[in-house]
């Protein structure tokens, strides 16, 4: 039996190099970049003020205090967005705003709150501290009283201190999050090359399955189909595009028809159910009849058996097979099948551990691991089985990890309570207080 890591390695090795496309930055969140993106500008692009106030020479105001203000001559005004070509001389100040370029000659900005502009009714400098602070008078001439000393370069945001032109902003293989998008936008990236996303057919097999639509009633022996609803958002979360197919009854023909259509229309096909050893399990045989090659792995994990990974190389299509004609394929290229078990928890966990990495790697992502955090077991958790058990757990706000409840592979209520999985080795009891790694899916 393959270890999980070996199975993932084999799957990833089969995934081809990604194809690229150019898209606007506004559409790039969640996409994997195909190129190293270098900063085309320094950030900030020029020295600018961190506050609303007055640009000064620090040496002019070194002695300023509320009791002994320094009087400077106001010689100009620079709103944000304006280019100022003048220069500040000794004894002068310039009205300036957050984000305004710092004028030549100035080496500090005094906050507006530490200044006072004389009004008609009080033409002389104030003698007592505090009074009149923060008064907003917008004019470009007259005197300004500076009520506090400032150090050289105070309240100035320096040209290039955030990003230097030419430095790498993102490496190829990075999946863009909102923070990356902000950085790229700030350096003027409007369009970028990303890797294509796979379309993923999602097929549920089982004659017992009923579509959960409003007003639907279960006949005896039926259950509501739940795997496609759970897997579609997990597929979307990788950046791939799920395409939900109708429920497939357990017949060879229906299974072959559904797979044929899915393989023609999508890059990757994910099925759930119908991959066991029973005579009603048609996924494997249908895929082979269509020319696919199966690697049927018993991966040593619980929940998870059985799981099927297969490839269909369009060029090596069985000529006797008319079900999937290469000329009919709307999406050319090598196709992949992930046959997940039908039990809802098995489908969920095998998707996360075996299919998710492949969907990310198809898009060229370097990091295909599930997000993980650390926690401390609040109680012992045992795995009497000879396979590793990915146990549903609930991590509380203090990082204490509890079992989410019954762990059988059909029990959805404990999955709904869980916010992570922990990997419990075979024939092992992890004692309370053990530090564990928790895998997350959202
Ligand atoms: P199978 O893998 O087809 O043998 O199915 C294993 C168990 O999972 C059976 O009890 C099925 O009824 C159930 N099952 C299979 N597919 C689904 C599905 N899409 N939604 C809910 N339950 C399912
Ligand atoms: Mg079935």
């Amino acid at each position: 039996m393959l270890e999980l890591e070996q199975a993932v390695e084999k799957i990833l090795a089969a995934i081809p190099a990604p194809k690229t496309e150019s898209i606007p930055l506004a559409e790039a969140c969640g996409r994997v970049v195909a190129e190293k993106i270098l900063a085309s500008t320094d950030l900030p692009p020029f020295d600018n003020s961190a506050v609303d106030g007055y640009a000064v020479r620090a040496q002019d105001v070194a002695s300023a205090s509320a009791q002994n203000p320094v009087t400077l001559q106001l010689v100009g005004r620079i709103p944000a967005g304006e280019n100022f070509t003048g220069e500040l001389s000794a004894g002068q100040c310039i009205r300036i705003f957050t984000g305004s370029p710092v004028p030549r000659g100035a080496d500090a900005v005094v906050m507006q709150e530490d200044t006072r502009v004389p009004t008609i009714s009080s033409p002389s400098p104030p003698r007592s501290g505090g009074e009149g602070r923060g008064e907003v008078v917008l004019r470009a001439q007259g005197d300004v009283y500076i009520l506090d000393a400032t150090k050289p370069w105070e309240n100035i945001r320096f040209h290039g201190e955030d990003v230097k032109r030419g430095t790498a902003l993102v490496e190829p293989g990075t999946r863009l999050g909102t923070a990356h998008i902000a950085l790229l936008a700030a350096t003027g990236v409007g369009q970028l090359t990303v890797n294509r996303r796979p379309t993923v057919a999602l097929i549920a097999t089982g004659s017992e399955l009923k579509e959960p639509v409003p007003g639907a009633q279960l006949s005896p022996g039926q259950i509501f189909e739940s795997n496609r609803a759970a897997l579609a958002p997990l597929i979307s979360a990788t950046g791939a595009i799920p395409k939900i197919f109708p429920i497939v009854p357990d017949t060879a023909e229906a299974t072959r028809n559904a797979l044929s259509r899915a393989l023609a229309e999508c890059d990757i096909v994910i099925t759930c159910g119908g991959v066991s050893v029973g005579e009603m399990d048609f996924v494997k045989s249908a895929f082979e009849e269509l020319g696919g090659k199966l690697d049927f792995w018993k991966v040593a994990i619980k929940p998870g058996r059985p799981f099927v990974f297969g490839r269909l190389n369009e060029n090596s299509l069985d000529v006797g097979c008319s079900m999937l004609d290469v000329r009919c394929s709307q999406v050319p290229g090598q196709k992949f099948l992930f046959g997940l078990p039908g039990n809802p928890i098995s489908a969920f966990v095998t998707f996360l551990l075996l299919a998710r990495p492949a969907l990310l790697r198809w898009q060229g992502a370097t990091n295909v691991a599930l997000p993980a955090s650390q926690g401390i077991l609040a109680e012992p958790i045992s795995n009497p089985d000879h396979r590793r058990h990915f146990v549903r757990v609930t991590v509380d706000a203090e990082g204490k990890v509890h079992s989410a409840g019954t762990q059988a592979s059909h029990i959805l209520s404990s999955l709904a309570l869980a916010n992570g999985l922990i990997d419990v080795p075979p024939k092992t009891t992890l004692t309370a207080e053990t530090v564990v790694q928790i895998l997350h899916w959202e």
Side-chain angles (χ1 to χ4, degrees):
M1 238 192 294
L2 277 182
E3 281 302 320
L4 172 64
E5 289 74 12
Q6 294 174 291
V8 172
E9 207 176 294
K10 277 177 182 280
I11 291 169
L12 294 181
I15 303 298
K19 299 189 188 74
T20 63
E21 61 185 339
S22 175
I23 60 165
L25 183 71
E27 292 166 19
C29 198
R31 300 296 298 268
V32 179
V33 284
E35 55 184 349
K36 185 190 262 217
I37 302 182
L38 304 179
S40 61
T41 174
D42 291 325
L43 266 192
F46 49 88
D47 288 351
N48 68 92
S49 178
V51 295
D52 291 339
Y54 293 86
V56 300
R57 295 171 3 131
Q59 67 189 91
D60 287 354
V61 300
S63 68
S65 69
Q67 284 72 32
N68 291 300
V70 168
T71 305
L72 296 178
Q73 185 200 1
L74 182 63
V75 295
R77 183 167 177 271
I78 315 175
E82 271 188 27
N83 186 23
F84 185 84
T85 51
E87 183 166 359
L88 190 80
S89 303
Q92 298 180 335
C93 67
I94 290 177
R95 180 74 171 123
I96 197 171
F97 303 89
T98 307
S100 299
V102 174
R104 276 186 303 132
D107 66 358
V109 177
V110 182
M111 290 170 73
Q112 182 173 305
E113 291 85 338
D114 293 332
T115 66
R116 183 163 172 209
V117 178
T119 58
I120 312 290
S121 57
S122 65
S124 54
R127 289 286 157 222
S128 61
E131 192 196 343
R133 284 186 172 211
E135 193 180 344
V136 185
V137 178
L138 301 181
R139 57 181 185 181
Q141 279 183 334
D143 287 344
V144 176
Y145 306 138
I146 307 297
L147 309 179
D148 206 356
T150 182
K151 292 193 276 296
W153 311 116
E154 207 163 310
N155 296 324
I156 291 179
R157 308 191 290 204
F158 296 109
H159 176 199
E161 73 176 341
D162 187 359
V163 172
K164 293 263 183 301
R165 182 165 185 251
T167 53
L169 300 174
V170 288
E171 296 290 335
T174 307
R175 193 150 176 243
L176 296 176
T178 44
H180 297 116
I181 299 288
L183 179 64
L184 294 173
T187 55
V189 174
Q191 185 86 12
L192 67 170
T193 307
V194 297
N195 294 319
R196 267 196 53 216
R197 312 188 283 165
T199 49
V200 181
L202 191 46
I203 297 176
T205 72
S207 296
E208 74 282 25
L209 302 176
K210 177 100 180 168
E211 196 84 46
V213 291
Q217 299 283 324
L218 293 178
S219 303
Q222 288 189 321
I223 59 168
F224 285 121
E225 196 284 311
S226 62
N227 286 340
R228 291 171 307 163
L231 296 175
L234 292 177
I235 292 169
S236 298
T238 69
I241 305 160
K243 188 161 180 183
I244 295 181
F245 278 65
I247 292 169
V248 179
D250 292 318
T251 71
E253 194 188 357
T255 309
R256 211 166 42 227
N257 287 344
L259 277 185
S260 165
R261 211 190 111 201
L263 288 162
E265 291 180 11
C266 297
D267 300 297
I268 293 173
V269 177
I270 295 182
T271 61
C272 41
V275 286
S276 261
V277 291
E279 66 267 37
M280 302 307 283
D281 294 319
F282 296 106
V283 171
K284 288 175 284 165
S285 54
F287 186 66
E288 284 181 321
E289 283 166 33
L290 293 168
K293 299 268 176 295
L294 291 176
D295 292 278
F296 177 43
W297 290 318
K298 287 188 169 165
V299 183
I301 57 168
K302 188 180 147 187
R305 227 170 22 179
F307 164 83
V308 160
F309 173 66
R311 301 174 226 187
L312 185 141
N313 195 339
E314 285 178 327
N315 300 328
S316 65
L317 268 181
D318 183 345
V319 283
C321 170
S322 60
M323 300 307 298
L324 178 69
D325 190 319
V326 66
R327 286 161 302 181
C328 296
S329 178
Q330 294 145 38
V331 181
Q334 197 179 35
K335 307 297 175 81
F336 299 93
L337 171 74
F338 292 86
L340 313 183
N343 267 310
I345 311 308
S346 310
F348 194 89
V349 171
T350 50
F351 173 84
L352 291 177
L353 298 177
L354 293 155
R356 183 184 178 277
L359 300 195
L360 288 166
R361 184 52 53 82
W362 201 99
Q363 300 171 73
T366 311
N367 179 11
V368 299
L370 282 166
S373 66
Q374 270 202 349
I376 296 170
L377 281 189
E379 65 219 15
I381 293 188
S382 290
N383 174 14
D385 206 284
H386 60 279
R387 289 178 285 162
R388 283 153 79 172
H389 190 177
F390 284 84
V391 171
R392 281 151 267 171
V393 294
T394 306
V395 190
D396 66 24
E398 280 84 52
K400 287 276 186 183
V401 180
H402 307 260
S403 166
T406 308
Q407 296 290 333
S409 60
H410 63 293
I411 299 291
L412 279 161
S413 49
S414 59
L415 182 67
L417 291 174
N419 54 7
L421 297 170
I422 61 168
D423 178 1
V424 186
K427 305 247 174 243
T428 299
T429 296
L430 299 177
T431 54
E433 302 299 324
T434 303
V435 175
V436 288
Q437 197 195 40
I438 307 135
L439 303 175
H440 301 280
W441 54 87
E442 54 194 13

